[in-house]
Amino acid sequence: MQSSINRDGFLPPDPDELVAEGEPPFADAATATAREKADHDLDTLQHEVRLLRARIGILREDAESALKAQANLIDANAHVQLGSYPWAKLALATGAAFIAARIIRSLPFGILLAGAAGHLSETRRW
């Protein structure tokens, strides 16, 4: 291997020694490095966003299946308690309560209280 000695008789300086530590060897290198770093960061962020979207999708599916399971459980409990057609029976009971409340509101309470007082007075005599 041939060594190159300059005309003063010294070895030329090593190019690595001419560049200060952390300093790019030429001006365009800093731009390329910064751009590469930015591209790498962008790729990393895009990958993390994809992962987060996948996790959100899994959470949505889990929540959806939990809601369906809860609805099935409620429906099964209603069938156990009320038999077949539980919602029709529940609607009938609600309608009957509404009608009973309307009838009770339309009754004159004075007459009812007078009848109850008469009934109480007769029961005291015994």
Side-chain angles (χ1 to χ4, degrees):
M1 191 164 143
Q2 184 179 13
S3 64
S4 57
I5 298 176
N6 63 11
R7 62 180 153 177
D8 296 328
F10 298 109
L11 288 171
D14 186 16
D16 293 334
E17 293 174 5
L18 293 176
V19 177
E21 191 168 329
E23 189 176 300
F26 46 93
D28 293 343
T31 311
T33 305
R35 179 159 186 105
E36 288 172 2
K37 184 179 181 324
D39 288 341
H40 176 70
D41 291 345
L42 180 63
D43 290 340
T44 304
L45 287 175
Q46 287 174 342
H47 179 69
E48 289 179 12
V49 167
R50 283 192 300 271
L51 288 176
L52 288 174
R53 285 183 179 160
R55 288 179 184 158
I56 289 171
I58 291 170
L59 289 175
R60 282 184 182 156
E61 290 173 5
D62 288 348
E64 200 173 290
S65 64
L67 287 176
K68 285 181 182 178
Q70 186 67 22
N72 289 338
L73 179 67
I74 290 171
D75 189 46
N77 284 340
H79 281 286
V80 168
Q81 292 176 1
L82 299 173
S84 56
Y85 304 110
W87 307 115
K89 291 178 181 177
L90 194 59
L92 182 66
T94 305
F98 177 75
I99 291 171
R102 292 289 245 179
I103 290 172
I104 290 173
R105 281 188 196 164
S106 67
L107 293 175
F109 281 110
I111 295 172
L112 288 175
L113 290 176
H119 179 70
L120 287 174
S121 65
E122 283 193 24
T123 54
R124 283 188 186 170
R125 288 184 195 166
W126 291 87

